Amino acid sequence: MSEHRVPRRSFLTAAAASMAGAAMGLGTSAGLARAADVPGDGMSEPFVPDGGGYVRLGVASYSLRSFPLDKALEMTKALKTPYINFKSMHMPYEKTTAELATMRKEIEAQGFQIVGGGTIDFKDLPDEDIRKLFEYAKASGMPTMVSTGVPAVMPRVEKFAKEYDIKVAIHNHGPEDKHYPSPYDVLKLVKTMDKRMGLCMDVGHTVRAGTDVPKAIIDAGPRLLDMHAKDLTDFKSRDSQVIVGEGLIPFPDIFRALERIKYAGYVNLEYEIDAKDPLQGMKQSFAYLRGVLAGMAPAVKQAAKS
């Protein structure tokens, strides 16, 4: 059982987030079409459109790492989002391209949208092995490869990103990451590269690196290709992760910054706690995030009219 189950508290937190979002000014002409852009799902319950214009909530399947693919999909259905970024325990590297293509079709037939995969480590691989990873992503239907690797390998990765027309979002991993602790370390590397080369910002690792998340979002602009969402009670401790909304990470300000840059990617919940029983905490995290977006919706509608 999860030690973080506090339904009433999460309800109140989501309500507070909604009111906070309603109070925010959004100097943007963002439309609501993106929020309503969800496919028919063929499920017993509909997907829930997110209410913040350019912000779309998804799931990083690493959150469900203790479960096989069929169970992970069933749990994702309970979160009422079609968007999934797959980790290799659910889309294994060892599968053939034909097997991956079949898995992709079966996943999409259930109404899900594969929005990426990773983290995929390019290390300092030779070109033939880099190509294998791009073939893996192509067969799996991944438009974005959340990635890492030594800085020296990334110009060669860039060539494959252009060839395959697949985005490469380099993931920052906080103080322990000797190459990319902060989003700015990624941005410095990719600033002159092809537009397909960019950043996956992990908000938890970003605050632990001492970086202001909303400011980094604005500075990243179109280089921000993907985002991992989590919450912490202590910005110096990766072990302080809690249900989103119960920590200190400023999601209303984060979502406002995403609206400002007209963010084209996804905000994928990466829920790393309660590995054996994550669903209730994930539901509460989605309730909070959707509360923030619901509070933002009136301001977004008004901005769209102006």
Side-chain angles (χ1 to χ4, degrees):
M1 297 288 289
S2 167
E3 68 270 28
H4 297 292
R5 292 186 174 182
V6 282
R8 183 174 181 274
R9 180 178 175 188
S10 287
F11 173 81
L12 294 174
T13 304
S18 178
M19 290 186 287
M24 289 190 287
L26 297 173
T28 170
S29 59
L32 292 175
R34 293 292 295 279
D37 181 20
V38 290
D41 56 19
M43 298 182 184
S44 58
E45 296 182 75
F47 288 125
V48 176
D50 303 316
Y54 283 88
V55 178
R56 294 175 290 180
L57 302 178
V59 173
S61 85
Y62 182 74
S63 308
L64 304 167
R65 59 198 175 277
S66 298
F67 304 91
L69 177 61
D70 58 347
K71 182 63 175 177
L73 293 176
E74 178 185 329
M75 296 168 81
T76 303
K77 289 178 185 179
L79 300 172
K80 300 183 177 65
T81 178
Y83 309 121
I84 309 181
N85 182 295
F86 279 105
K87 187 70 173 174
S88 58
M89 73 277 297
H90 294 128
M91 296 284 277
Y93 296 126
E94 297 78 18
K95 297 287 187 182
T96 67
T97 55
E99 289 171 331
L100 290 167
T102 298
M103 291 177 66
R104 171 189 178 181
K105 289 179 181 178
E106 292 172 350
I107 290 165
E108 292 175 343
Q110 296 184 55
F112 293 105
Q113 182 176 329
I114 299 170
V115 300
T119 301
I120 295 169
D121 192 350
F122 291 111
K123 301 178 183 179
D124 191 12
L125 295 173
D127 282 3
E128 58 266 30
D129 290 333
I130 295 173
R131 183 175 295 280
K132 288 177 183 177
L133 291 173
F134 274 87
E135 287 290 337
Y136 160 82
K138 178 182 177 181
S140 302
M142 298 173 178
T144 300
M145 301 169 74
V146 176
S147 70
T148 189
V150 300
V153 81
M154 290 304 170
R156 291 190 287 117
V157 170
E158 178 189 16
K159 293 188 298 182
F160 289 99
K162 291 190 286 188
E163 177 183 341
Y164 283 82
D165 193 22
I166 292 176
K167 297 173 184 176
V168 174
I170 302 171
H171 190 301
N172 70 293
H173 277 100
E176 300 84 8
D177 187 340
K178 65 180 180 180
H179 298 304
Y180 317 111
S182 165
Y184 290 102
D185 298 297
V186 177
L187 296 175
K188 186 186 305 182
L189 176 67
V190 303
K191 65 181 179 180
T192 61
M193 289 185 173
D194 184 83
K195 64 182 181 180
R196 299 170 186 84
M197 301 293 292
L199 166 69
C200 172
M201 186 186 299
D202 184 300
V203 299
H205 296 321
T206 296
V207 297
R208 290 193 310 106
T211 301
D212 181 279
V213 177
K215 182 179 186 302
I217 290 169
I218 300 301
D219 291 341
R223 291 288 181 177
L224 182 60
L225 304 179
D226 196 70
M227 176 172 282
H228 285 175
K230 53 176 64 88
D231 209 350
L232 304 175
T233 59
D234 181 349
F235 285 0
K236 296 185 181 297
S237 172
R238 67 185 303 165
D239 296 326
S240 70
Q241 188 176 153
V242 291
I243 292 167
V244 177
E246 296 184 359
L248 301 175
I249 292 180
F251 282 97
D253 290 340
I254 288 171
F255 286 168
R256 179 170 58 182
L258 293 174
E259 289 291 336
R260 179 174 168 184
I261 68 167
K262 299 183 179 180
Y263 177 56
Y266 300 85
V267 177
N268 294 314
L269 176 65
E270 188 175 45
Y271 192 78
E272 296 175 323
I273 55 178
D274 304 330
K276 300 297 184 183
D277 187 18
L279 187 56
Q280 187 60 38
M282 293 177 74
K283 284 182 176 180
Q284 291 172 218
S285 297
F286 263 81
Y288 171 79
L289 294 172
R290 285 184 170 129
V292 174
L293 293 175
M296 291 173 60
V300 174
K301 288 180 180 178
Q302 184 59 42
K305 294 176 181 178
S306 62

PDB file of all heavy atoms in Angstrom, residues 142-173:
ATOM      1  N   MET A 142       7.976   6.432 -32.244  1.00  0.00           N
ATOM      2  CA  MET A 142       8.390   7.485 -31.310  1.00  0.00           C
ATOM      3  C   MET A 142       8.815   8.730 -32.077  1.00  0.00           C
ATOM      4  O   MET A 142       9.869   8.725 -32.722  1.00  0.00           O
ATOM      5  CB  MET A 142       9.549   6.991 -30.433  1.00  0.00           C
ATOM      6  CG  MET A 142       9.206   5.811 -29.567  1.00  0.00           C
ATOM      7  SD  MET A 142      10.680   5.161 -28.707  1.00  0.00           S
ATOM      8  CE  MET A 142       9.936   3.827 -27.750  1.00  0.00           C
ATOM      9  N   PRO A 143       8.065   9.821 -31.996  1.00  0.00           N
ATOM     10  CA  PRO A 143       8.486  11.046 -32.674  1.00  0.00           C
ATOM     11  C   PRO A 143       9.621  11.765 -31.956  1.00  0.00           C
ATOM     12  O   PRO A 143      10.290  12.616 -32.543  1.00  0.00           O
ATOM     13  CB  PRO A 143       7.218  11.902 -32.682  1.00  0.00           C
ATOM     14  CG  PRO A 143       6.459  11.441 -31.476  1.00  0.00           C
ATOM     15  CD  PRO A 143       6.745   9.971 -31.360  1.00  0.00           C
ATOM     16  N   THR A 144       9.816  11.419 -30.673  1.00  0.00           N
ATOM     17  CA  THR A 144      10.840  12.057 -29.851  1.00  0.00           C
ATOM     18  C   THR A 144      11.597  10.991 -29.071  1.00  0.00           C
ATOM     19  O   THR A 144      10.980  10.110 -28.462  1.00  0.00           O
ATOM     20  CB  THR A 144      10.225  13.063 -28.871  1.00  0.00           C
ATOM     21  OG1 THR A 144       9.528  14.077 -29.606  1.00  0.00           O
ATOM     22  CG2 THR A 144      11.286  13.720 -28.003  1.00  0.00           C
ATOM     23  N   MET A 145      12.918  11.079 -29.097  1.00  0.00           N
ATOM     24  CA  MET A 145      13.757  10.212 -28.287  1.00  0.00           C
ATOM     25  C   MET A 145      14.287  11.021 -27.118  1.00  0.00           C
ATOM     26  O   MET A 145      15.140  11.900 -27.289  1.00  0.00           O
ATOM     27  CB  MET A 145      14.917   9.655 -29.114  1.00  0.00           C
ATOM     28  CG  MET A 145      14.483   8.845 -30.326  1.00  0.00           C
ATOM     29  SD  MET A 145      15.856   8.476 -31.469  1.00  0.00           S
ATOM     30  CE  MET A 145      16.737   7.207 -30.551  1.00  0.00           C
ATOM     31  N   VAL A 146      13.747  10.782 -25.929  1.00  0.00           N
ATOM     32  CA  VAL A 146      14.322  11.371 -24.722  1.00  0.00           C
ATOM     33  C   VAL A 146      15.645  10.662 -24.493  1.00  0.00           C
ATOM     34  O   VAL A 146      15.714   9.429 -24.480  1.00  0.00           O
ATOM     35  CB  VAL A 146      13.382  11.187 -23.525  1.00  0.00           C
ATOM     36  CG1 VAL A 146      14.034  11.709 -22.252  1.00  0.00           C
ATOM     37  CG2 VAL A 146      12.063  11.897 -23.784  1.00  0.00           C
ATOM     38  N   SER A 147      16.719  11.423 -24.347  1.00  0.00           N
ATOM     39  CA  SER A 147      18.034  10.800 -24.475  1.00  0.00           C
ATOM     40  C   SER A 147      19.063  11.380 -23.523  1.00  0.00           C
ATOM     41  O   SER A 147      18.848  12.405 -22.875  1.00  0.00           O
ATOM     42  CB  SER A 147      18.535  10.961 -25.913  1.00  0.00           C
ATOM     43  OG  SER A 147      18.860  12.319 -26.162  1.00  0.00           O
ATOM     44  N   THR A 148      20.182  10.686 -23.494  1.00  0.00           N
ATOM     45  CA  THR A 148      21.395  11.196 -22.880  1.00  0.00           C
ATOM     46  C   THR A 148      22.564  10.619 -23.664  1.00  0.00           C
ATOM     47  O   THR A 148      22.379   9.868 -24.629  1.00  0.00           O
ATOM     48  CB  THR A 148      21.474  10.852 -21.385  1.00  0.00           C
ATOM     49  OG1 THR A 148      22.566  11.558 -20.790  1.00  0.00           O
ATOM     50  CG2 THR A 148      21.640   9.359 -21.155  1.00  0.00           C
ATOM     51  N   GLY A 149      23.771  10.968 -23.269  1.00  0.00           N
ATOM     52  CA  GLY A 149      24.967  10.533 -23.974  1.00  0.00           C
ATOM     53  C   GLY A 149      26.047  11.576 -23.800  1.00  0.00           C
ATOM     54  O   GLY A 149      25.763  12.733 -23.470  1.00  0.00           O
ATOM     55  N   VAL A 150      27.280  11.203 -24.018  1.00  0.00           N
ATOM     56  CA  VAL A 150      28.358  12.170 -23.846  1.00  0.00           C
ATOM     57  C   VAL A 150      28.192  13.295 -24.864  1.00  0.00           C
ATOM     58  O   VAL A 150      27.690  13.077 -25.977  1.00  0.00           O
ATOM     59  CB  VAL A 150      29.736  11.490 -23.995  1.00  0.00           C
ATOM     60  CG1 VAL A 150      29.914  10.390 -22.959  1.00  0.00           C
ATOM     61  CG2 VAL A 150      29.943  10.938 -25.395  1.00  0.00           C
ATOM     62  N   PRO A 151      28.575  14.514 -24.519  1.00  0.00           N
ATOM     63  CA  PRO A 151      28.411  15.623 -25.463  1.00  0.00           C
ATOM     64  C   PRO A 151      29.067  15.375 -26.819  1.00  0.00           C
ATOM     65  O   PRO A 151      28.539  15.800 -27.858  1.00  0.00           O
ATOM     66  CB  PRO A 151      29.071  16.802 -24.724  1.00  0.00           C
ATOM     67  CG  PRO A 151      28.894  16.475 -23.275  1.00  0.00           C
ATOM     68  CD  PRO A 151      29.043  14.981 -23.187  1.00  0.00           C
ATOM     69  N   ALA A 152      30.185  14.655 -26.832  1.00  0.00           N
ATOM     70  CA  ALA A 152      30.906  14.443 -28.089  1.00  0.00           C
ATOM     71  C   ALA A 152      30.128  13.604 -29.089  1.00  0.00           C
ATOM     72  O   ALA A 152      30.375  13.699 -30.298  1.00  0.00           O
ATOM     73  CB  ALA A 152      32.257  13.785 -27.796  1.00  0.00           C
ATOM     74  N   VAL A 153      29.168  12.780 -28.603  1.00  0.00           N
ATOM     75  CA  VAL A 153      28.420  11.932 -29.522  1.00  0.00           C
ATOM     76  C   VAL A 153      27.261  12.683 -30.183  1.00  0.00           C
ATOM     77  O   VAL A 153      26.753  12.261 -31.228  1.00  0.00           O
ATOM     78  CB  VAL A 153      27.896  10.663 -28.796  1.00  0.00           C
ATOM     79  CG1 VAL A 153      26.618  10.971 -28.006  1.00  0.00           C
ATOM     80  CG2 VAL A 153      27.628   9.526 -29.777  1.00  0.00           C
ATOM     81  N   MET A 154      26.838  13.779 -29.613  1.00  0.00           N
ATOM     82  CA  MET A 154      25.604  14.423 -30.051  1.00  0.00           C
ATOM     83  C   MET A 154      25.655  15.009 -31.470  1.00  0.00           C
ATOM     84  O   MET A 154      24.638  14.989 -32.169  1.00  0.00           O
ATOM     85  CB  MET A 154      25.179  15.486 -29.039  1.00  0.00           C
ATOM     86  CG  MET A 154      24.694  14.890 -27.723  1.00  0.00           C
ATOM     87  SD  MET A 154      23.325  13.722 -27.970  1.00  0.00           S
ATOM     88  CE  MET A 154      23.200  13.001 -26.323  1.00  0.00           C
ATOM     89  N   PRO A 155      26.792  15.519 -31.965  1.00  0.00           N
ATOM     90  CA  PRO A 155      26.812  15.936 -33.373  1.00  0.00           C
ATOM     91  C   PRO A 155      26.550  14.770 -34.324  1.00  0.00           C
ATOM     92  O   PRO A 155      25.939  14.961 -35.384  1.00  0.00           O
ATOM     93  CB  PRO A 155      28.226  16.510 -33.546  1.00  0.00           C
ATOM     94  CG  PRO A 155      28.597  17.002 -32.184  1.00  0.00           C
ATOM     95  CD  PRO A 155      28.013  15.980 -31.243  1.00  0.00           C
ATOM     96  N   ARG A 156      26.993  13.560 -33.966  1.00  0.00           N
ATOM     97  CA  ARG A 156      26.688  12.404 -34.809  1.00  0.00           C
ATOM     98  C   ARG A 156      25.222  11.997 -34.658  1.00  0.00           C
ATOM     99  O   ARG A 156      24.580  11.610 -35.638  1.00  0.00           O
ATOM    100  CB  ARG A 156      27.623  11.241 -34.454  1.00  0.00           C
ATOM    101  CG  ARG A 156      29.060  11.519 -34.867  1.00  0.00           C
ATOM    102  CD  ARG A 156      29.948  10.299 -34.746  1.00  0.00           C
ATOM    103  NE  ARG A 156      30.251   9.958 -33.369  1.00  0.00           N
ATOM    104  CZ  ARG A 156      29.903   8.815 -32.762  1.00  0.00           C
ATOM    105  NH1 ARG A 156      29.203   7.904 -33.429  1.00  0.00           N
ATOM    106  NH2 ARG A 156      30.244   8.590 -31.506  1.00  0.00           N
ATOM    107  N   VAL A 157      24.696  12.111 -33.443  1.00  0.00           N
ATOM    108  CA  VAL A 157      23.272  11.855 -33.231  1.00  0.00           C
ATOM    109  C   VAL A 157      22.438  12.833 -34.053  1.00  0.00           C
ATOM    110  O   VAL A 157      21.408  12.460 -34.632  1.00  0.00           O
ATOM    111  CB  VAL A 157      22.923  11.970 -31.731  1.00  0.00           C
ATOM    112  CG1 VAL A 157      21.408  11.952 -31.506  1.00  0.00           C
ATOM    113  CG2 VAL A 157      23.595  10.839 -30.934  1.00  0.00           C
ATOM    114  N   GLU A 158      22.880  14.072 -34.122  1.00  0.00           N
ATOM    115  CA  GLU A 158      22.164  15.096 -34.890  1.00  0.00           C
ATOM    116  C   GLU A 158      21.975  14.674 -36.344  1.00  0.00           C
ATOM    117  O   GLU A 158      20.905  14.894 -36.934  1.00  0.00           O
ATOM    118  CB  GLU A 158      22.934  16.411 -34.826  1.00  0.00           C
ATOM    119  CG  GLU A 158      22.303  17.539 -35.623  1.00  0.00           C
ATOM    120  CD  GLU A 158      23.204  18.758 -35.724  1.00  0.00           C
ATOM    121  OE1 GLU A 158      24.425  18.626 -35.448  1.00  0.00           O
ATOM    122  OE2 GLU A 158      22.704  19.831 -36.082  1.00  0.00           O
ATOM    123  N   LYS A 159      22.979  14.058 -36.925  1.00  0.00           N
ATOM    124  CA  LYS A 159      22.873  13.615 -38.323  1.00  0.00           C
ATOM    125  C   LYS A 159      21.741  12.607 -38.496  1.00  0.00           C
ATOM    126  O   LYS A 159      20.984  12.657 -39.473  1.00  0.00           O
ATOM    127  CB  LYS A 159      24.191  13.002 -38.787  1.00  0.00           C
ATOM    128  CG  LYS A 159      25.348  13.987 -38.888  1.00  0.00           C
ATOM    129  CD  LYS A 159      26.570  13.357 -39.540  1.00  0.00           C
ATOM    130  CE  LYS A 159      27.101  12.184 -38.745  1.00  0.00           C
ATOM    131  NZ  LYS A 159      28.330  11.606 -39.366  1.00  0.00           N
ATOM    132  N   PHE A 160      21.612  11.702 -37.539  1.00  0.00           N
ATOM    133  CA  PHE A 160      20.552  10.705 -37.615  1.00  0.00           C
ATOM    134  C   PHE A 160      19.185  11.334 -37.316  1.00  0.00           C
ATOM    135  O   PHE A 160      18.175  10.916 -37.897  1.00  0.00           O
ATOM    136  CB  PHE A 160      20.837   9.553 -36.654  1.00  0.00           C
ATOM    137  CG  PHE A 160      21.969   8.670 -37.083  1.00  0.00           C
ATOM    138  CD1 PHE A 160      23.239   8.824 -36.539  1.00  0.00           C
ATOM    139  CD2 PHE A 160      21.777   7.702 -38.057  1.00  0.00           C
ATOM    140  CE1 PHE A 160      24.285   8.020 -36.941  1.00  0.00           C
ATOM    141  CE2 PHE A 160      22.819   6.883 -38.478  1.00  0.00           C
ATOM    142  CZ  PHE A 160      24.086   7.042 -37.915  1.00  0.00           C
ATOM    143  N   ALA A 161      19.150  12.317 -36.426  1.00  0.00           N
ATOM    144  CA  ALA A 161      17.891  13.008 -36.151  1.00  0.00           C
ATOM    145  C   ALA A 161      17.338  13.640 -37.421  1.00  0.00           C
ATOM    146  O   ALA A 161      16.125  13.588 -37.686  1.00  0.00           O
ATOM    147  CB  ALA A 161      18.100  14.063 -35.064  1.00  0.00           C
ATOM    148  N   LYS A 162      18.213  14.219 -38.226  1.00  0.00           N
ATOM    149  CA  LYS A 162      17.778  14.816 -39.493  1.00  0.00           C
ATOM    150  C   LYS A 162      17.382  13.741 -40.506  1.00  0.00           C
ATOM    151  O   LYS A 162      16.380  13.884 -41.205  1.00  0.00           O
ATOM    152  CB  LYS A 162      18.900  15.710 -40.047  1.00  0.00           C
ATOM    153  CG  LYS A 162      19.148  16.964 -39.223  1.00  0.00           C
ATOM    154  CD  LYS A 162      20.076  17.943 -39.905  1.00  0.00           C
ATOM    155  CE  LYS A 162      21.511  17.493 -39.875  1.00  0.00           C
ATOM    156  NZ  LYS A 162      22.423  18.552 -40.386  1.00  0.00           N
ATOM    157  N   GLU A 163      18.156  12.679 -40.575  1.00  0.00           N
ATOM    158  CA  GLU A 163      17.870  11.619 -41.534  1.00  0.00           C
ATOM    159  C   GLU A 163      16.523  10.950 -41.253  1.00  0.00           C
ATOM    160  O   GLU A 163      15.736  10.690 -42.168  1.00  0.00           O
ATOM    161  CB  GLU A 163      18.979  10.562 -41.497  1.00  0.00           C
ATOM    162  CG  GLU A 163      18.729   9.377 -42.428  1.00  0.00           C
ATOM    163  CD  GLU A 163      19.797   8.311 -42.325  1.00  0.00           C
ATOM    164  OE1 GLU A 163      20.914   8.600 -41.825  1.00  0.00           O
ATOM    165  OE2 GLU A 163      19.526   7.157 -42.738  1.00  0.00           O
ATOM    166  N   TYR A 164      16.257  10.684 -39.980  1.00  0.00           N
ATOM    167  CA  TYR A 164      15.030   9.967 -39.603  1.00  0.00           C
ATOM    168  C   TYR A 164      13.878  10.913 -39.276  1.00  0.00           C
ATOM    169  O   TYR A 164      12.752  10.458 -39.076  1.00  0.00           O
ATOM    170  CB  TYR A 164      15.307   9.070 -38.397  1.00  0.00           C
ATOM    171  CG  TYR A 164      16.049   7.797 -38.732  1.00  0.00           C
ATOM    172  CD1 TYR A 164      17.436   7.795 -38.873  1.00  0.00           C
ATOM    173  CD2 TYR A 164      15.377   6.592 -38.905  1.00  0.00           C
ATOM    174  CE1 TYR A 164      18.131   6.632 -39.179  1.00  0.00           C
ATOM    175  CE2 TYR A 164      16.054   5.424 -39.212  1.00  0.00           C
ATOM    176  CZ  TYR A 164      17.429   5.449 -39.348  1.00  0.00           C
ATOM    177  OH  TYR A 164      18.102   4.281 -39.663  1.00  0.00           O
ATOM    178  N   ASP A 165      14.162  12.211 -39.205  1.00  0.00           N
ATOM    179  CA  ASP A 165      13.167  13.209 -38.810  1.00  0.00           C
ATOM    180  C   ASP A 165      12.540  12.843 -37.466  1.00  0.00           C
ATOM    181  O   ASP A 165      11.317  12.821 -37.293  1.00  0.00           O
ATOM    182  CB  ASP A 165      12.079  13.372 -39.872  1.00  0.00           C
ATOM    183  CG  ASP A 165      11.224  14.610 -39.634  1.00  0.00           C
ATOM    184  OD1 ASP A 165      11.701  15.537 -38.945  1.00  0.00           O
ATOM    185  OD2 ASP A 165      10.072  14.646 -40.117  1.00  0.00           O
ATOM    186  N   ILE A 166      13.395  12.532 -36.508  1.00  0.00           N
ATOM    187  CA  ILE A 166      12.992  12.216 -35.139  1.00  0.00           C
ATOM    188  C   ILE A 166      13.675  13.220 -34.217  1.00  0.00           C
ATOM    189  O   ILE A 166      14.874  13.482 -34.334  1.00  0.00           O
ATOM    190  CB  ILE A 166      13.378  10.776 -34.753  1.00  0.00           C
ATOM    191  CG1 ILE A 166      12.549   9.770 -35.557  1.00  0.00           C
ATOM    192  CG2 ILE A 166      13.180  10.539 -33.258  1.00  0.00           C
ATOM    193  CD1 ILE A 166      12.932   8.320 -35.313  1.00  0.00           C
ATOM    194  N   LYS A 167      12.915  13.777 -33.286  1.00  0.00           N
ATOM    195  CA  LYS A 167      13.472  14.739 -32.336  1.00  0.00           C
ATOM    196  C   LYS A 167      14.288  14.015 -31.267  1.00  0.00           C
ATOM    197  O   LYS A 167      13.943  12.908 -30.853  1.00  0.00           O
ATOM    198  CB  LYS A 167      12.353  15.550 -31.678  1.00  0.00           C
ATOM    199  CG  LYS A 167      11.554  16.399 -32.648  1.00  0.00           C
ATOM    200  CD  LYS A 167      10.376  17.039 -31.952  1.00  0.00           C
ATOM    201  CE  LYS A 167       9.506  17.812 -32.929  1.00  0.00           C
ATOM    202  NZ  LYS A 167       8.291  18.367 -32.272  1.00  0.00           N
ATOM    203  N   VAL A 168      15.341  14.671 -30.818  1.00  0.00           N
ATOM    204  CA  VAL A 168      16.186  14.150 -29.740  1.00  0.00           C
ATOM    205  C   VAL A 168      16.151  15.155 -28.601  1.00  0.00           C
ATOM    206  O   VAL A 168      16.642  16.279 -28.736  1.00  0.00           O
ATOM    207  CB  VAL A 168      17.629  13.928 -30.221  1.00  0.00           C
ATOM    208  CG1 VAL A 168      18.536  13.528 -29.056  1.00  0.00           C
ATOM    209  CG2 VAL A 168      17.660  12.859 -31.311  1.00  0.00           C
ATOM    210  N   ALA A 169      15.527  14.759 -27.487  1.00  0.00           N
ATOM    211  CA  ALA A 169      15.366  15.639 -26.331  1.00  0.00           C
ATOM    212  C   ALA A 169      16.315  15.174 -25.233  1.00  0.00           C
ATOM    213  O   ALA A 169      16.080  14.146 -24.586  1.00  0.00           O
ATOM    214  CB  ALA A 169      13.922  15.596 -25.839  1.00  0.00           C
ATOM    215  N   ILE A 170      17.399  15.903 -25.037  1.00  0.00           N
ATOM    216  CA  ILE A 170      18.419  15.517 -24.071  1.00  0.00           C
ATOM    217  C   ILE A 170      17.917  15.830 -22.665  1.00  0.00           C
ATOM    218  O   ILE A 170      17.506  16.955 -22.364  1.00  0.00           O
ATOM    219  CB  ILE A 170      19.748  16.229 -24.361  1.00  0.00           C
ATOM    220  CG1 ILE A 170      20.213  15.901 -25.786  1.00  0.00           C
ATOM    221  CG2 ILE A 170      20.810  15.824 -23.349  1.00  0.00           C
ATOM    222  CD1 ILE A 170      21.409  16.713 -26.249  1.00  0.00           C
ATOM    223  N   HIS A 171      17.952  14.835 -21.809  1.00  0.00           N
ATOM    224  CA  HIS A 171      17.378  14.875 -20.466  1.00  0.00           C
ATOM    225  C   HIS A 171      18.423  15.356 -19.469  1.00  0.00           C
ATOM    226  O   HIS A 171      19.515  14.803 -19.389  1.00  0.00           O
ATOM    227  CB  HIS A 171      16.917  13.454 -20.110  1.00  0.00           C
ATOM    228  CG  HIS A 171      16.085  13.334 -18.876  1.00  0.00           C
ATOM    229  ND1 HIS A 171      16.518  13.739 -17.626  1.00  0.00           N
ATOM    230  CD2 HIS A 171      14.840  12.816 -18.688  1.00  0.00           C
ATOM    231  CE1 HIS A 171      15.573  13.479 -16.738  1.00  0.00           C
ATOM    232  NE2 HIS A 171      14.549  12.925 -17.363  1.00  0.00           N
ATOM    233  N   ASN A 172      18.095  16.416 -18.710  1.00  0.00           N
ATOM    234  CA  ASN A 172      18.978  16.826 -17.618  1.00  0.00           C
ATOM    235  C   ASN A 172      18.665  16.002 -16.370  1.00  0.00           C
ATOM    236  O   ASN A 172      17.503  15.703 -16.086  1.00  0.00           O
ATOM    237  CB  ASN A 172      18.831  18.315 -17.331  1.00  0.00           C
ATOM    238  CG  ASN A 172      17.499  18.679 -16.697  1.00  0.00           C
ATOM    239  OD1 ASN A 172      16.454  18.552 -17.346  1.00  0.00           O
ATOM    240  ND2 ASN A 172      17.511  19.112 -15.453  1.00  0.00           N
ATOM    241  N   HIS A 173      19.710  15.614 -15.630  1.00  0.00           N
ATOM    242  CA  HIS A 173      19.520  14.690 -14.510  1.00  0.00           C
ATOM    243  C   HIS A 173      20.040  15.230 -13.170  1.00  0.00           C
ATOM    244  O   HIS A 173      20.326  14.436 -12.265  1.00  0.00           O
ATOM    245  CB  HIS A 173      20.183  13.345 -14.817  1.00  0.00           C
ATOM    246  CG  HIS A 173      19.341  12.434 -15.647  1.00  0.00           C
ATOM    247  ND1 HIS A 173      19.513  12.273 -17.007  1.00  0.00           N
ATOM    248  CD2 HIS A 173      18.297  11.635 -15.308  1.00  0.00           C
ATOM    249  CE1 HIS A 173      18.625  11.412 -17.472  1.00  0.00           C
ATOM    250  NE2 HIS A 173      17.872  11.009 -16.470  1.00  0.00           N
TER     251      HIS A 173
END
